[in-house]
């Protein structure tokens, strides 16, 4: 991957269907290029081609259903390029005066593989998985030593000894999503670029996310811009936090978010926080969780195969590249 490119999920398949944070993305854009006409597969092809020509910092956002497809680009922290169908999901967050409409030709094939119509049973199966995890946490939490939790909070606060200069703004992403290709996340790309990483370890059900969310909130109160990566089971939970100004990431090692160990990781092992042996056997509940996920993946794997656009778009690419340059560097284009 290019060093100036970061990949994210702005949408995830949840027990309530697909949920997105596109409104958050568009509300902070200074200009938006809207690709209208054609399909979302065509838009992804165009966005991928544009990405190859960019040398400025670019954020790439992917589909939850088909992670290999790109749904939007955010270039130089001010310009967003996305298909009309994506922008339509957040109409109240888009200022019409900042939108430039660029028509793209229709494809030679019919149908749009990036449909948000999930198989009816998928949200229900993911809801079953969520209930299993909630039950596991409720049964294990009383066995956790709260003094160890307090010590961990003091440890985390050491990283917030100063005050942030970027303002207490939050940006919202998803940590992972289940798709037809299995679990998908881009966390390695995001977290490996941080100079310091704190990793929570321990078996599922220990409620790592409450500490991670608490730390993200404290960082915002200290004046830092914080990137919050939400749990696909429950959007109120925060599974990962990144503070760009400190080049600091906080993550966990529980699947499907487990990342390779990095030399120098600051490891907090919650598995050692037991007051005594856990009073419940987690394997029965975890079996329900895994069966539900496996069945949801099987249903999603029947999604239509993605087809590449069957026509050339060199002229359109040239127009888009010129438009991107003029929006990013208006003074240079005027000279």
């Amino acid at each position: 991957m290019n060093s100036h490119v970061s990949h994210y999920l702005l949408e995830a398949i949840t027990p309530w269907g697909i949920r997105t944070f596109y409104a958050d993305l568009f509300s902070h854009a200074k200009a938006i290029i809207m690709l209208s006409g054609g399909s979302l597969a065509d838009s992804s092809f165009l966005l991928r081609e544009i990405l190859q020509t960019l040398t400025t910092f670019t954020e790439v956002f992917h589909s939850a259903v088909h992670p290999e497809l790109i749904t939007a680009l955010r270039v130089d922290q001010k310009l967003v390029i996305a298909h009309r169908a994506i922008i339509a999901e957040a109409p109240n967050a888009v200022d019409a005066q900042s939108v430039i409409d660029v028509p793209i030709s229709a494809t030679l094939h019919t149908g749009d593989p990036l449909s948000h119509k999930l198989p009816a049973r998928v949200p229900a199966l993911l809801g079953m998985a969520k209930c299993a995890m909630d039950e596991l946490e409720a049964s294990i939490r009383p066995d956790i030593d709260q003094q160890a939790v307090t010590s961990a909070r003091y440890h985390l606060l050491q990283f917030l000894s100063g005050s942030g200069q970027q303002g207490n703004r939050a940006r919202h992403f998803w940590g992972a999503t289940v798709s037809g290709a299995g679990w998908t996340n881009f966390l390695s790309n995001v977290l490996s670029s941080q100079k310091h990483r704190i990793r929570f370890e321990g078996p599922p059900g220990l409620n790592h996310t409450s500490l991670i969310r608490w730390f993200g909130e404290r960082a915002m109160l200290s004046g830092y811009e914080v990137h919050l990566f939400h749990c696909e089971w429950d959007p109120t939970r925060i599974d990962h936090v990144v503070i760009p100004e400190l080049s600091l990431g906080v993550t966990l090692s529980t699947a499907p978010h487990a990342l390779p160990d990095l030399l120098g990781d600051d490891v907090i092992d919650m598995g050692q926080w037991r007051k005594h042996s856990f009073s419940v056997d987690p394997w029965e509940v975890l079996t329900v969780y895994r069966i539900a996920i496996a069945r949801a993946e099987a249903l999603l794997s029947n999604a239509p195969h993605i087809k590449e656009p069957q026509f050339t778009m060199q002229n359109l690419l040239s127009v888009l590249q010129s438009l991107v340059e003029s929006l990013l560097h208006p003074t240079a284009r005027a000279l």
Side-chain angles (χ1 to χ4, degrees), residues 14-16 126 129-130 133 178 183 231-235 289 293:
T14 76
W16 304 273
L126 297 184
K130 178 184 182 302
M133 191 57 64
V178 61
W183 283 105
C231 172
E232 62 280 0
W233 302 133
D234 183 351
Y289 173 86
I293 295 299

Side-chain angles (χ1 to χ4, degrees), residues 6-332:
S6 293
H7 297 260
Y8 301 91
L9 285 167
L10 275 182
E11 59 183 14
I13 302 174
T14 76
W16 304 273
I18 290 182
R19 294 294 182 266
T20 81
F21 290 114
Y22 287 120
D24 181 64
L25 173 71
F26 296 130
S27 66
H28 295 105
K30 294 183 180 178
I32 298 172
I33 296 177
M34 179 173 67
L35 306 176
S36 58
S39 72
L40 286 162
D42 302 328
S43 172
S44 174
F45 175 83
L46 271 174
L47 294 174
R48 196 176 299 279
E49 292 296 309
I50 293 171
L51 181 62
Q52 300 305 314
T53 70
L54 299 173
T55 57
T56 55
F57 177 67
T58 304
E59 295 170 330
V60 184
F61 304 101
H62 294 257
S63 160
V65 183
H66 298 283
E68 64 270 38
L69 292 188
I70 297 175
T71 56
L73 298 178
R74 182 176 185 252
V75 188
D76 200 24
Q77 302 185 17
K78 53 189 172 185
L79 169 64
V80 172
I81 313 172
H83 191 271
R84 177 189 291 272
I86 298 298
I87 295 174
E89 294 190 15
N92 295 332
V94 178
D95 182 353
Q97 295 181 346
S98 67
V99 177
I100 300 172
D101 191 351
V102 177
I104 62 177
S105 302
T107 62
L108 296 182
H109 61 81
T110 59
D112 190 344
L114 238 180
S115 172
H116 283 187
K117 293 182 179 179
L118 298 172
R121 291 179 59 210
V122 168
L125 287 167
L126 297 184
M128 184 188 304
K130 178 184 182 302
C131 287
M133 191 57 64
D134 288 346
E135 181 181 344
L136 185 62
E137 287 187 358
S139 59
I140 287 179
R141 193 175 300 128
D143 295 322
I144 297 176
D145 184 354
Q146 292 303 311
Q147 186 174 350
V149 175
T150 301
S151 297
R153 288 189 173 190
Y154 279 117
H155 179 69
L156 290 172
L157 285 177
Q158 294 176 10
F159 297 94
L160 302 177
S161 56
S163 299
Q165 304 300 316
Q166 303 300 318
N168 58 339
R169 186 168 75 91
R171 293 190 62 201
H172 299 273
F173 308 95
W174 293 96
T177 188
V178 61
S179 72
W183 283 105
T184 298
N185 70 67
F186 298 97
L187 296 167
S188 292
N189 169 249
V190 176
L191 287 160
S192 63
S193 62
Q194 308 306 315
K195 293 180 180 178
H196 194 85
R197 192 171 76 170
I198 304 168
R199 189 176 75 252
F200 284 90
E201 289 189 345
L206 289 173
N207 199 20
H208 311 63
T209 57
S210 62
L211 270 172
I212 294 174
R213 181 188 181 94
W214 174 85
F215 179 67
E217 291 172 346
R218 289 302 296 259
M220 283 188 286
L221 289 173
S222 297
Y224 292 98
E225 178 182 301
V226 179
H227 296 180
L228 304 172
F229 293 79
H230 293 249
C231 172
E232 62 280 0
W233 302 133
D234 183 351
T236 64
R237 298 187 182 187
I238 306 299
D239 286 340
H240 318 271
V241 165
V242 171
I243 306 175
E245 189 176 338
L246 298 177
S247 192
L248 171 65
V250 183
T251 185
L252 48 82
S253 61
T254 305
H257 305 270
L259 301 176
D261 295 352
L262 291 180
L263 187 64
D265 276 0
D266 187 346
V267 178
I268 299 176
D269 186 1
M270 293 182 68
Q272 304 298 319
W273 294 7
R274 310 177 187 185
K275 291 184 292 187
H276 45 73
S277 297
F278 289 146
S279 57
V280 296
D281 183 355
W283 294 112
E284 183 177 348
V285 177
L286 286 175
T287 298
V288 174
Y289 173 86
R290 288 166 180 155
I291 290 174
I293 295 299
R295 290 181 177 174
E297 288 179 344
L299 289 171
L300 288 167
S301 67
N302 294 323
H305 179 68
I306 297 168
K307 300 178 181 179
E308 289 291 336
Q310 301 295 313
F311 57 92
T312 60
M313 295 186 277
Q314 292 305 315
N315 291 338
L316 179 56
L317 276 172
S318 298
V319 170
L320 276 170
Q321 288 162 3
S322 297
L323 182 57
V324 169
E325 284 296 318
S326 66
L327 290 171
L328 292 179
H329 311 290
T331 304

